[in-house]
Short mmCIF file of all heavy atoms in Angstrom, two decimals:
data_model
loop_
_atom_site.label_atom_id
_atom_site.label_comp_id
_atom_site.label_asym_id
_atom_site.label_seq_id
_atom_site.Cartn_x
_atom_site.Cartn_y
_atom_site.Cartn_z
N MET E 341 28.08 -12.05 -3.90
CA MET E 341 28.15 -12.26 -2.49
C MET E 341 26.84 -12.87 -2.00
O MET E 341 25.76 -12.48 -2.45
CB MET E 341 28.36 -10.94 -1.74
CG MET E 341 29.68 -10.28 -1.99
SD MET E 341 29.86 -8.79 -1.06
CE MET E 341 30.86 -9.37 0.27
N THR E 342 26.93 -13.76 -1.08
CA THR E 342 25.74 -14.37 -0.51
C THR E 342 25.41 -13.64 0.80
O THR E 342 26.21 -12.89 1.36
CB THR E 342 25.97 -15.85 -0.21
OG1 THR E 342 26.99 -15.98 0.77
CG2 THR E 342 26.33 -16.62 -1.48
N TYR E 343 24.21 -13.92 1.30
CA TYR E 343 23.79 -13.30 2.54
C TYR E 343 24.68 -13.74 3.70
O TYR E 343 24.97 -12.97 4.59
CB TYR E 343 22.33 -13.62 2.83
CG TYR E 343 21.84 -13.05 4.12
CD1 TYR E 343 21.70 -11.68 4.28
CD2 TYR E 343 21.56 -13.88 5.21
CE1 TYR E 343 21.28 -11.14 5.49
CE2 TYR E 343 21.13 -13.34 6.41
CZ TYR E 343 20.99 -11.99 6.54
OH TYR E 343 20.58 -11.45 7.73
N GLU E 344 25.13 -15.00 3.66
CA GLU E 344 26.02 -15.49 4.73
C GLU E 344 27.30 -14.68 4.81
O GLU E 344 27.85 -14.47 5.87
CB GLU E 344 26.33 -16.99 4.49
CG GLU E 344 25.14 -17.89 4.66
CD GLU E 344 24.58 -17.83 6.07
OE1 GLU E 344 25.35 -17.79 7.03
OE2 GLU E 344 23.34 -17.86 6.18
N GLN E 345 27.80 -14.22 3.66
CA GLN E 345 29.02 -13.42 3.62
C GLN E 345 28.76 -11.98 4.06
O GLN E 345 29.62 -11.34 4.65
CB GLN E 345 29.63 -13.41 2.21
CG GLN E 345 30.09 -14.76 1.76
CD GLN E 345 30.40 -14.77 0.28
OE1 GLN E 345 29.81 -14.05 -0.49
NE2 GLN E 345 31.36 -15.61 -0.10
N VAL E 346 27.57 -11.48 3.76
CA VAL E 346 27.23 -10.07 3.97
C VAL E 346 26.73 -9.80 5.39
O VAL E 346 26.92 -8.69 5.89
CB VAL E 346 26.18 -9.65 2.91
CG1 VAL E 346 25.64 -8.28 3.19
CG2 VAL E 346 26.78 -9.71 1.52
N LYS E 347 26.10 -10.77 6.02
CA LYS E 347 25.47 -10.49 7.30
C LYS E 347 26.43 -10.13 8.41
O LYS E 347 26.04 -9.53 9.38
CB LYS E 347 24.59 -11.67 7.73
CG LYS E 347 25.32 -12.90 8.16
CD LYS E 347 24.32 -13.97 8.55
CE LYS E 347 25.03 -15.22 9.00
NZ LYS E 347 24.07 -16.27 9.38
N SER E 348 27.72 -10.39 8.23
CA SER E 348 28.68 -10.06 9.26
C SER E 348 29.29 -8.67 9.05
O SER E 348 30.11 -8.22 9.84
CB SER E 348 29.80 -11.11 9.28
OG SER E 348 30.48 -11.11 8.04
N LEU E 349 28.88 -7.97 8.00
CA LEU E 349 29.38 -6.61 7.75
C LEU E 349 28.85 -5.64 8.80
O LEU E 349 27.80 -5.85 9.40
CB LEU E 349 28.95 -6.12 6.35
CG LEU E 349 29.56 -6.81 5.14
CD1 LEU E 349 28.92 -6.25 3.87
CD2 LEU E 349 31.05 -6.63 5.12
N LYS E 350 29.57 -4.54 8.97
CA LYS E 350 29.08 -3.46 9.83
C LYS E 350 27.82 -2.86 9.22
O LYS E 350 27.59 -2.97 8.02
CB LYS E 350 30.13 -2.37 10.02
CG LYS E 350 31.36 -2.83 10.77
CD LYS E 350 32.29 -1.68 11.06
CE LYS E 350 32.85 -1.17 9.73
NZ LYS E 350 33.89 -0.15 9.93
N SER E 351 27.01 -2.25 10.02
CA SER E 351 25.73 -1.68 9.58
C SER E 351 25.92 -0.68 8.44
O SER E 351 25.17 -0.69 7.47
CB SER E 351 25.02 -1.02 10.75
OG SER E 351 23.81 -0.45 10.34
N GLU E 352 26.95 0.15 8.54
CA GLU E 352 27.21 1.16 7.49
C GLU E 352 27.60 0.48 6.17
O GLU E 352 27.16 0.92 5.08
CB GLU E 352 28.31 2.13 7.92
CG GLU E 352 27.99 2.93 9.13
CD GLU E 352 28.31 2.19 10.44
OE1 GLU E 352 29.16 1.28 10.42
OE2 GLU E 352 27.65 2.48 11.45
N ASP E 353 28.41 -0.56 6.25
CA ASP E 353 28.84 -1.26 5.04
C ASP E 353 27.69 -2.04 4.40
O ASP E 353 27.56 -2.09 3.18
CB ASP E 353 29.98 -2.20 5.35
CG ASP E 353 31.27 -1.47 5.76
OD1 ASP E 353 31.42 -0.29 5.37
OD2 ASP E 353 32.08 -2.05 6.47
N PHE E 354 26.84 -2.60 5.23
CA PHE E 354 25.68 -3.33 4.74
C PHE E 354 24.75 -2.37 4.00
O PHE E 354 24.29 -2.66 2.91
CB PHE E 354 24.95 -3.99 5.90
CG PHE E 354 23.85 -4.91 5.47
CD1 PHE E 354 24.11 -6.26 5.27
CD2 PHE E 354 22.55 -4.46 5.30
CE1 PHE E 354 23.11 -7.12 4.89
CE2 PHE E 354 21.54 -5.31 4.89
CZ PHE E 354 21.82 -6.64 4.70
N LYS E 355 24.53 -1.19 4.57
CA LYS E 355 23.68 -0.20 3.92
C LYS E 355 24.30 0.30 2.63
O LYS E 355 23.62 0.54 1.65
CB LYS E 355 23.40 0.98 4.87
CG LYS E 355 22.45 1.97 4.23
CD LYS E 355 22.01 3.06 5.12
CE LYS E 355 21.03 3.90 4.33
NZ LYS E 355 20.74 5.13 4.95
N ARG E 356 25.59 0.45 2.61
CA ARG E 356 26.28 0.90 1.40
C ARG E 356 26.13 -0.13 0.29
O ARG E 356 26.02 0.20 -0.89
CB ARG E 356 27.74 1.14 1.70
CG ARG E 356 28.52 1.70 0.55
CD ARG E 356 29.92 2.02 0.96
NE ARG E 356 30.65 2.55 -0.17
CZ ARG E 356 31.94 2.61 -0.27
NH1 ARG E 356 32.68 2.20 0.76
NH2 ARG E 356 32.54 3.08 -1.32
N LEU E 357 26.11 -1.41 0.63
CA LEU E 357 26.01 -2.47 -0.34
C LEU E 357 24.61 -2.56 -0.95
O LEU E 357 24.47 -2.62 -2.17
CB LEU E 357 26.38 -3.82 0.27
CG LEU E 357 26.25 -5.02 -0.62
CD1 LEU E 357 27.29 -4.98 -1.72
CD2 LEU E 357 26.35 -6.30 0.19
N CYS E 358 23.58 -2.57 -0.12
CA CYS E 358 22.25 -2.84 -0.65
C CYS E 358 21.24 -1.71 -0.45
O CYS E 358 20.12 -1.78 -0.92
CB CYS E 358 21.70 -4.13 -0.10
SG CYS E 358 21.47 -4.18 1.65
N GLY E 359 21.61 -0.66 0.28
CA GLY E 359 20.73 0.50 0.38
C GLY E 359 19.81 0.54 1.59
O GLY E 359 19.10 1.52 1.79
N VAL E 360 19.79 -0.52 2.39
CA VAL E 360 18.95 -0.54 3.59
C VAL E 360 19.78 -1.03 4.77
O VAL E 360 20.78 -1.72 4.58
CB VAL E 360 17.71 -1.42 3.42
CG1 VAL E 360 16.78 -0.89 2.36
CG2 VAL E 360 18.08 -2.86 3.12
N ARG E 361 19.37 -0.70 5.94
CA ARG E 361 20.07 -1.14 7.16
C ARG E 361 19.71 -2.61 7.42
O ARG E 361 18.68 -3.11 6.95
CB ARG E 361 19.67 -0.30 8.34
CG ARG E 361 20.08 1.16 8.18
CD ARG E 361 19.95 1.90 9.48
NE ARG E 361 20.23 3.32 9.32
CZ ARG E 361 21.47 3.83 9.26
NH1 ARG E 361 22.49 3.02 9.34
NH2 ARG E 361 21.63 5.10 9.10
N PRO E 362 20.55 -3.31 8.16
CA PRO E 362 20.28 -4.73 8.45
C PRO E 362 18.93 -5.00 9.11
O PRO E 362 18.26 -5.98 8.80
CB PRO E 362 21.43 -5.16 9.36
CG PRO E 362 22.52 -4.20 9.05
CD PRO E 362 21.85 -2.91 8.69
N ASP E 363 18.52 -4.12 10.04
CA ASP E 363 17.21 -4.33 10.69
C ASP E 363 16.07 -4.17 9.69
O ASP E 363 15.09 -4.91 9.75
CB ASP E 363 17.07 -3.44 11.90
CG ASP E 363 17.23 -1.98 11.57
OD1 ASP E 363 17.85 -1.64 10.56
OD2 ASP E 363 16.72 -1.14 12.36
N THR E 364 16.18 -3.24 8.77
CA THR E 364 15.17 -3.07 7.73
C THR E 364 15.17 -4.28 6.80
O THR E 364 14.10 -4.78 6.41
CB THR E 364 15.45 -1.80 6.91
OG1 THR E 364 15.52 -0.70 7.79
CG2 THR E 364 14.33 -1.55 5.90
N PHE E 365 16.34 -4.78 6.47
CA PHE E 365 16.45 -6.00 5.65
C PHE E 365 15.75 -7.16 6.32
O PHE E 365 15.02 -7.90 5.67
CB PHE E 365 17.91 -6.33 5.42
CG PHE E 365 18.14 -7.52 4.54
CD1 PHE E 365 18.18 -7.40 3.19
CD2 PHE E 365 18.31 -8.79 5.11
CE1 PHE E 365 18.39 -8.53 2.38
CE2 PHE E 365 18.50 -9.91 4.31
CZ PHE E 365 18.54 -9.78 2.94
N ASN E 366 15.94 -7.32 7.63
CA ASN E 366 15.31 -8.43 8.34
C ASN E 366 13.78 -8.28 8.38
O ASN E 366 13.07 -9.27 8.26
CB ASN E 366 15.87 -8.53 9.77
CG ASN E 366 17.30 -9.00 9.75
OD1 ASN E 366 17.71 -9.76 8.89
ND2 ASN E 366 18.07 -8.56 10.73
N GLU E 367 13.28 -7.05 8.49
CA GLU E 367 11.83 -6.83 8.43
C GLU E 367 11.29 -7.16 7.05
O GLU E 367 10.23 -7.78 6.92
CB GLU E 367 11.50 -5.39 8.80
CG GLU E 367 11.75 -5.04 10.23
CD GLU E 367 11.50 -3.59 10.55
OE1 GLU E 367 10.89 -2.88 9.73
OE2 GLU E 367 11.95 -3.13 11.61
N MET E 368 12.02 -6.74 6.01
CA MET E 368 11.62 -7.07 4.63
C MET E 368 11.64 -8.59 4.41
O MET E 368 10.73 -9.14 3.77
CB MET E 368 12.55 -6.40 3.64
CG MET E 368 12.47 -4.89 3.63
SD MET E 368 13.75 -4.14 2.67
CE MET E 368 13.10 -4.32 1.03
N LEU E 369 12.61 -9.25 4.99
CA LEU E 369 12.72 -10.69 4.86
C LEU E 369 11.55 -11.40 5.52
O LEU E 369 11.04 -12.40 4.98
CB LEU E 369 14.04 -11.16 5.44
CG LEU E 369 14.41 -12.61 5.25
CD1 LEU E 369 14.47 -12.98 3.78
CD2 LEU E 369 15.72 -12.91 5.93
N GLU E 370 11.10 -10.93 6.65
CA GLU E 370 9.94 -11.52 7.33
C GLU E 370 8.68 -11.40 6.48
O GLU E 370 7.87 -12.32 6.42
CB GLU E 370 9.73 -10.89 8.71
CG GLU E 370 10.78 -11.32 9.71
CD GLU E 370 10.87 -12.83 9.85
OE1 GLU E 370 9.82 -13.51 9.93
OE2 GLU E 370 12.01 -13.31 9.86
N VAL E 371 8.52 -10.27 5.82
CA VAL E 371 7.34 -10.06 4.92
C VAL E 371 7.44 -11.04 3.74
O VAL E 371 6.45 -11.68 3.39
CB VAL E 371 7.29 -8.61 4.42
CG1 VAL E 371 6.24 -8.44 3.33
CG2 VAL E 371 7.02 -7.65 5.55
N VAL E 372 8.62 -11.17 3.16
CA VAL E 372 8.80 -12.10 2.03
C VAL E 372 8.57 -13.54 2.48
O VAL E 372 7.91 -14.31 1.78
CB VAL E 372 10.24 -11.94 1.43
CG1 VAL E 372 10.52 -13.03 0.44
CG2 VAL E 372 10.38 -10.59 0.78
N ARG E 373 9.04 -13.89 3.66
CA ARG E 373 8.82 -15.26 4.18
C ARG E 373 7.35 -15.55 4.39
O ARG E 373 6.86 -16.64 4.08
CB ARG E 373 9.58 -15.44 5.49
CG ARG E 373 10.99 -15.79 5.30
CD ARG E 373 11.63 -16.24 6.61
NE ARG E 373 13.03 -16.50 6.40
CZ ARG E 373 13.99 -16.11 7.20
NH1 ARG E 373 13.71 -15.43 8.29
NH2 ARG E 373 15.24 -16.38 6.93
N SER E 374 6.62 -14.58 4.94
CA SER E 374 5.18 -14.80 5.17
C SER E 374 4.42 -14.97 3.85
O SER E 374 3.51 -15.80 3.75
CB SER E 374 4.59 -13.67 6.00
OG SER E 374 4.56 -12.49 5.27
N LEU E 375 4.82 -14.21 2.84
CA LEU E 375 4.18 -14.39 1.53
C LEU E 375 4.59 -15.69 0.86
O LEU E 375 3.81 -16.32 0.15
CB LEU E 375 4.52 -13.20 0.61
CG LEU E 375 3.95 -11.86 1.03
CD1 LEU E 375 4.50 -10.75 0.13
CD2 LEU E 375 2.45 -11.90 0.96
N HIS E 376 5.83 -16.11 1.09
CA HIS E 376 6.32 -17.33 0.50
C HIS E 376 5.63 -18.54 1.08
O HIS E 376 5.39 -19.53 0.38
CB HIS E 376 7.84 -17.44 0.72
CG HIS E 376 8.49 -18.55 -0.04
ND1 HIS E 376 8.20 -19.85 0.15
CD2 HIS E 376 9.43 -18.53 -1.01
CE1 HIS E 376 8.92 -20.61 -0.64
NE2 HIS E 376 9.69 -19.81 -1.37
N ARG E 377 5.27 -18.49 2.35
CA ARG E 377 4.57 -19.61 3.00
C ARG E 377 3.21 -19.84 2.40
O ARG E 377 2.73 -20.97 2.30
CB ARG E 377 4.43 -19.36 4.49
CG ARG E 377 5.68 -19.68 5.26
CD ARG E 377 5.45 -19.57 6.75
NE ARG E 377 6.58 -18.91 7.33
CZ ARG E 377 6.54 -17.77 7.99
NH1 ARG E 377 5.40 -17.20 8.23
NH2 ARG E 377 7.65 -17.22 8.45
N THR E 378 2.53 -18.76 2.02
CA THR E 378 1.18 -18.87 1.49
C THR E 378 1.13 -19.14 -0.01
O THR E 378 0.10 -19.47 -0.54
CB THR E 378 0.38 -17.59 1.77
OG1 THR E 378 1.00 -16.49 1.12
CG2 THR E 378 0.28 -17.33 3.26
N LYS E 379 2.27 -19.02 -0.67
CA LYS E 379 2.35 -19.19 -2.12
C LYS E 379 2.23 -20.67 -2.48
O LYS E 379 2.82 -21.54 -1.82
CB LYS E 379 3.70 -18.64 -2.59
CG LYS E 379 3.93 -18.69 -4.06
CD LYS E 379 5.26 -18.04 -4.37
CE LYS E 379 5.93 -18.72 -5.52
NZ LYS E 379 7.25 -18.21 -5.80
N GLN E 380 1.47 -20.93 -3.54
CA GLN E 380 1.36 -22.30 -4.00
C GLN E 380 2.66 -22.68 -4.71
O GLN E 380 3.12 -21.97 -5.62
CB GLN E 380 0.19 -22.45 -4.97
CG GLN E 380 -0.05 -23.86 -5.43
CD GLN E 380 -1.20 -23.92 -6.39
OE1 GLN E 380 -1.70 -22.94 -6.86
NE2 GLN E 380 -1.64 -25.14 -6.67
N LYS E 381 3.24 -23.77 -4.33
CA LYS E 381 4.55 -24.16 -4.87
C LYS E 381 4.38 -25.04 -6.09
O LYS E 381 3.91 -26.18 -6.00
CB LYS E 381 5.36 -24.88 -3.78
CG LYS E 381 5.67 -23.97 -2.64
CD LYS E 381 6.46 -24.68 -1.56
CE LYS E 381 6.85 -23.76 -0.48
NZ LYS E 381 5.78 -23.15 0.23
N THR E 382 4.71 -24.48 -7.25
CA THR E 382 4.68 -25.24 -8.50
C THR E 382 6.02 -25.10 -9.18
O THR E 382 6.74 -24.13 -8.98
CB THR E 382 3.58 -24.71 -9.43
OG1 THR E 382 3.84 -23.35 -9.74
CG2 THR E 382 2.21 -24.82 -8.80
N GLY E 383 6.35 -26.05 -10.02
CA GLY E 383 7.60 -25.99 -10.77
C GLY E 383 8.80 -26.41 -9.94
O GLY E 383 8.70 -26.93 -8.83
N ARG E 384 9.95 -26.13 -10.53
CA ARG E 384 11.20 -26.51 -9.89
C ARG E 384 11.54 -25.58 -8.75
O ARG E 384 11.32 -24.37 -8.86
CB ARG E 384 12.30 -26.48 -10.94
CG ARG E 384 13.62 -26.97 -10.47
CD ARG E 384 14.60 -27.16 -11.59
NE ARG E 384 14.65 -26.04 -12.50
CZ ARG E 384 15.53 -25.91 -13.48
NH1 ARG E 384 16.43 -26.81 -13.65
NH2 ARG E 384 15.51 -24.88 -14.26
N PRO E 385 12.06 -26.11 -7.64
CA PRO E 385 12.43 -25.21 -6.50
C PRO E 385 13.59 -24.30 -6.89
O PRO E 385 14.45 -24.66 -7.69
CB PRO E 385 12.79 -26.18 -5.40
CG PRO E 385 13.05 -27.46 -6.06
CD PRO E 385 12.31 -27.50 -7.35
N GLY E 386 13.61 -23.12 -6.30
CA GLY E 386 14.67 -22.16 -6.58
C GLY E 386 15.99 -22.60 -5.99
O GLY E 386 16.04 -23.32 -5.01
N LYS E 387 17.07 -22.12 -6.61
CA LYS E 387 18.41 -22.47 -6.12
C LYS E 387 18.89 -21.50 -5.05
O LYS E 387 19.70 -21.85 -4.24
CB LYS E 387 19.40 -22.46 -7.28
CG LYS E 387 19.20 -23.58 -8.27
CD LYS E 387 20.26 -23.59 -9.32
CE LYS E 387 20.03 -24.75 -10.27
NZ LYS E 387 21.12 -24.88 -11.25
N LEU E 388 18.35 -20.29 -5.07
CA LEU E 388 18.78 -19.29 -4.10
C LEU E 388 17.83 -19.27 -2.91
O LEU E 388 16.62 -19.45 -3.06
CB LEU E 388 18.80 -17.89 -4.73
CG LEU E 388 19.80 -17.64 -5.84
CD1 LEU E 388 19.61 -16.25 -6.39
CD2 LEU E 388 21.21 -17.82 -5.33
N SER E 389 18.37 -19.01 -1.73
CA SER E 389 17.53 -18.86 -0.54
C SER E 389 16.77 -17.52 -0.64
O SER E 389 17.10 -16.66 -1.44
CB SER E 389 18.40 -18.87 0.71
OG SER E 389 19.25 -17.73 0.71
N LEU E 390 15.77 -17.36 0.18
CA LEU E 390 15.02 -16.12 0.19
C LEU E 390 15.90 -14.93 0.55
O LEU E 390 15.75 -13.84 0.02
CB LEU E 390 13.83 -16.21 1.17
CG LEU E 390 12.69 -17.11 0.74
CD1 LEU E 390 11.64 -17.17 1.84
CD2 LEU E 390 12.10 -16.65 -0.55
N GLU E 391 16.83 -15.16 1.46
CA GLU E 391 17.79 -14.10 1.86
C GLU E 391 18.62 -13.64 0.66
O GLU E 391 18.76 -12.45 0.44
CB GLU E 391 18.70 -14.57 2.98
CG GLU E 391 18.03 -14.83 4.31
CD GLU E 391 17.52 -16.27 4.41
OE1 GLU E 391 17.54 -17.03 3.41
OE2 GLU E 391 17.09 -16.63 5.52
N ASP E 392 19.11 -14.59 -0.11
CA ASP E 392 19.91 -14.27 -1.27
C ASP E 392 19.10 -13.59 -2.35
O ASP E 392 19.57 -12.69 -3.04
CB ASP E 392 20.62 -15.51 -1.81
CG ASP E 392 21.73 -16.01 -0.89
OD1 ASP E 392 22.24 -15.21 -0.09
OD2 ASP E 392 22.08 -17.20 -0.99
N GLN E 393 17.85 -14.03 -2.53
CA GLN E 393 16.98 -13.41 -3.53
C GLN E 393 16.69 -11.96 -3.18
O GLN E 393 16.77 -11.08 -4.05
CB GLN E 393 15.66 -14.18 -3.64
CG GLN E 393 15.80 -15.54 -4.25
CD GLN E 393 14.48 -16.28 -4.29
OE1 GLN E 393 13.41 -15.70 -4.32
NE2 GLN E 393 14.55 -17.61 -4.26
N LEU E 394 16.40 -11.70 -1.92
CA LEU E 394 16.14 -10.32 -1.48
C LEU E 394 17.39 -9.46 -1.61
O LEU E 394 17.33 -8.33 -2.09
CB LEU E 394 15.60 -10.32 -0.05
CG LEU E 394 15.32 -8.95 0.55
CD1 LEU E 394 14.25 -8.20 -0.27
CD2 LEU E 394 14.86 -9.10 1.99
N LEU E 395 18.52 -10.01 -1.19
CA LEU E 395 19.78 -9.26 -1.29
C LEU E 395 20.10 -8.93 -2.73
O LEU E 395 20.47 -7.80 -3.06
CB LEU E 395 20.91 -10.07 -0.66
CG LEU E 395 22.27 -9.41 -0.63
CD1 LEU E 395 22.25 -8.15 0.25
CD2 LEU E 395 23.32 -10.38 -0.15
N MET E 396 19.93 -9.87 -3.63
CA MET E 396 20.23 -9.65 -5.03
C MET E 396 19.29 -8.59 -5.62
O MET E 396 19.72 -7.72 -6.39
CB MET E 396 20.08 -10.98 -5.81
CG MET E 396 20.47 -10.86 -7.27
SD MET E 396 20.48 -12.42 -8.13
CE MET E 396 18.75 -12.86 -8.06
N THR E 397 18.03 -8.60 -5.24
CA THR E 397 17.08 -7.61 -5.71
C THR E 397 17.44 -6.23 -5.22
O THR E 397 17.43 -5.26 -6.01
CB THR E 397 15.64 -7.97 -5.24
OG1 THR E 397 15.31 -9.27 -5.74
CG2 THR E 397 14.63 -6.96 -5.73
N LEU E 398 17.79 -6.11 -3.97
CA LEU E 398 18.15 -4.78 -3.42
C LEU E 398 19.43 -4.26 -4.04
O LEU E 398 19.53 -3.06 -4.31
CB LEU E 398 18.28 -4.88 -1.89
CG LEU E 398 16.99 -5.10 -1.14
CD1 LEU E 398 17.26 -5.31 0.34
CD2 LEU E 398 16.03 -3.93 -1.34
N GLU E 399 20.40 -5.16 -4.25
CA GLU E 399 21.66 -4.73 -4.89
C GLU E 399 21.38 -4.26 -6.32
O GLU E 399 21.95 -3.27 -6.79
CB GLU E 399 22.66 -5.87 -4.91
CG GLU E 399 23.27 -6.14 -3.57
CD GLU E 399 24.27 -7.28 -3.60
OE1 GLU E 399 24.70 -7.69 -4.70
OE2 GLU E 399 24.64 -7.77 -2.52
N TYR E 400 20.51 -4.96 -7.04
CA TYR E 400 20.16 -4.58 -8.39
C TYR E 400 19.50 -3.20 -8.41
O TYR E 400 19.85 -2.34 -9.19
CB TYR E 400 19.24 -5.64 -9.00
CG TYR E 400 18.78 -5.28 -10.40
CD1 TYR E 400 19.63 -5.42 -11.48
CD2 TYR E 400 17.50 -4.80 -10.63
CE1 TYR E 400 19.22 -5.11 -12.76
CE2 TYR E 400 17.06 -4.48 -11.89
CZ TYR E 400 17.94 -4.62 -12.95
OH TYR E 400 17.51 -4.30 -14.20
N TRP E 401 18.52 -3.00 -7.55
CA TRP E 401 17.85 -1.72 -7.50
C TRP E 401 18.80 -0.59 -7.11
O TRP E 401 18.68 0.55 -7.55
CB TRP E 401 16.67 -1.76 -6.55
CG TRP E 401 15.49 -2.48 -7.08
CD1 TRP E 401 15.25 -2.83 -8.37
CD2 TRP E 401 14.37 -2.94 -6.34
NE1 TRP E 401 14.08 -3.48 -8.47
CE2 TRP E 401 13.48 -3.57 -7.26
CE3 TRP E 401 14.03 -2.89 -5.00
CZ2 TRP E 401 12.27 -4.11 -6.87
CZ3 TRP E 401 12.83 -3.45 -4.62
CH2 TRP E 401 11.98 -4.04 -5.53
N ARG E 402 19.75 -0.90 -6.27
CA ARG E 402 20.72 0.10 -5.83
C ARG E 402 21.64 0.50 -6.98
O ARG E 402 22.00 1.67 -7.10
CB ARG E 402 21.54 -0.46 -4.66
CG ARG E 402 22.62 0.48 -4.15
CD ARG E 402 22.46 0.65 -2.67
NE ARG E 402 23.58 1.35 -2.11
CZ ARG E 402 23.56 2.66 -1.85
NH1 ARG E 402 22.48 3.36 -2.10
NH2 ARG E 402 24.57 3.25 -1.33
N GLU E 403 22.04 -0.42 -7.80
CA GLU E 403 22.98 -0.16 -8.88
C GLU E 403 22.33 0.29 -10.18
O GLU E 403 22.99 0.88 -11.01
CB GLU E 403 23.83 -1.41 -9.14
CG GLU E 403 24.69 -1.81 -8.00
CD GLU E 403 25.74 -0.75 -7.65
OE1 GLU E 403 26.29 -0.14 -8.57
OE2 GLU E 403 26.02 -0.56 -6.46
N TYR E 404 21.06 -0.01 -10.38
CA TYR E 404 20.40 0.31 -11.64
C TYR E 404 19.93 1.76 -11.59
O TYR E 404 18.89 2.10 -11.05
CB TYR E 404 19.22 -0.65 -11.84
CG TYR E 404 18.69 -0.65 -13.26
CD1 TYR E 404 19.51 -1.05 -14.29
CD2 TYR E 404 17.40 -0.29 -13.52
CE1 TYR E 404 19.04 -1.07 -15.61
CE2 TYR E 404 16.91 -0.30 -14.83
CZ TYR E 404 17.73 -0.70 -15.87
OH TYR E 404 17.25 -0.70 -17.14
N ARG E 405 20.72 2.64 -12.18
CA ARG E 405 20.55 4.07 -12.01
C ARG E 405 19.28 4.62 -12.65
O ARG E 405 18.80 5.64 -12.22
CB ARG E 405 21.79 4.78 -12.57
CG ARG E 405 23.03 4.46 -11.77
CD ARG E 405 24.19 5.21 -12.29
NE ARG E 405 24.03 6.64 -12.37
CZ ARG E 405 24.24 7.52 -11.42
NH1 ARG E 405 24.70 7.05 -10.25
NH2 ARG E 405 24.05 8.78 -11.58
N THR E 406 18.76 4.02 -13.69
CA THR E 406 17.60 4.62 -14.34
C THR E 406 16.36 4.60 -13.47
O THR E 406 15.44 5.36 -13.73
CB THR E 406 17.32 3.94 -15.68
OG1 THR E 406 17.09 2.56 -15.47
CG2 THR E 406 18.44 4.12 -16.66
N TYR E 407 16.28 3.74 -12.48
CA TYR E 407 15.14 3.81 -11.55
C TYR E 407 15.17 5.14 -10.78
O TYR E 407 14.14 5.67 -10.46
CB TYR E 407 15.17 2.65 -10.54
CG TYR E 407 14.68 1.36 -11.11
CD1 TYR E 407 15.36 0.18 -10.85
CD2 TYR E 407 13.55 1.30 -11.89
CE1 TYR E 407 14.91 -1.00 -11.37
CE2 TYR E 407 13.09 0.12 -12.39
CZ TYR E 407 13.78 -1.03 -12.12
OH TYR E 407 13.34 -2.22 -12.62
N PHE E 408 16.35 5.65 -10.50
CA PHE E 408 16.46 6.94 -9.80
C PHE E 408 16.21 8.09 -10.75
O PHE E 408 15.55 9.05 -10.42
CB PHE E 408 17.83 7.05 -9.15
CG PHE E 408 18.01 8.33 -8.40
CD1 PHE E 408 17.37 8.52 -7.18
CD2 PHE E 408 18.78 9.35 -8.89
CE1 PHE E 408 17.54 9.71 -6.49
CE2 PHE E 408 18.95 10.53 -8.23
CZ PHE E 408 18.32 10.71 -7.01
N HIS E 409 16.76 8.02 -11.93
CA HIS E 409 16.67 9.10 -12.89
C HIS E 409 15.35 9.04 -13.60
O HIS E 409 14.83 9.89 -14.18
CB HIS E 409 17.81 9.05 -13.89
CG HIS E 409 19.13 9.33 -13.23
ND1 HIS E 409 20.05 8.34 -13.01
CD2 HIS E 409 19.65 10.43 -12.71
CE1 HIS E 409 21.10 8.85 -12.41
NE2 HIS E 409 20.89 10.11 -12.20
#
């Protein structure tokens, strides 16, 4: 799922999917964007948007049980 598909979910469903509420996700995204602006750009550009990268990371951490255990 992409962020475009997920952003229209209800707050409870969004949290169930990635573990954080939409407003927390947006705050995290602003931090990632500010760090991305200052990063030196080398190599090939990424295929995923920052929103999709953050969403994929949160979904991975949510599903990867050994981080909890």
Side-chain angles (χ1 to χ4, degrees):
M341 294 181 100
T342 63
Y343 178 69
E344 292 298 320
Q345 296 168 329
V346 171
K347 70 180 181 181
S348 62
L349 292 175
K350 293 187 293 186
S351 179
E352 298 84 26
D353 293 335
F354 189 90
K355 184 174 182 192
R356 185 175 179 198
L357 177 69
C358 62
V360 296
R361 296 193 185 281
D363 56 338
T364 306
F365 181 87
N366 290 330
E367 290 176 16
M368 294 170 80
L369 187 59
E370 288 305 315
V371 171
V372 170
R373 277 192 183 134
S374 68
L375 292 173
H376 190 297
R377 279 187 223 120
T378 61
K379 182 177 146 185
Q380 183 181 12
K381 296 179 176 62
T382 60
R384 186 169 46 171
K387 291 184 178 185
L388 295 176
S389 66
L390 289 176
E391 294 89 351
D392 289 337
Q393 291 178 27
L394 179 59
L395 182 65
M396 184 173 65
T397 302
L398 291 174
E399 287 179 14
Y400 177 77
W401 284 345
R402 178 127 171 98
E403 296 296 323
Y404 195 62
R405 294 182 54 88
T406 58
Y407 281 136
F408 181 73
H409 293 107

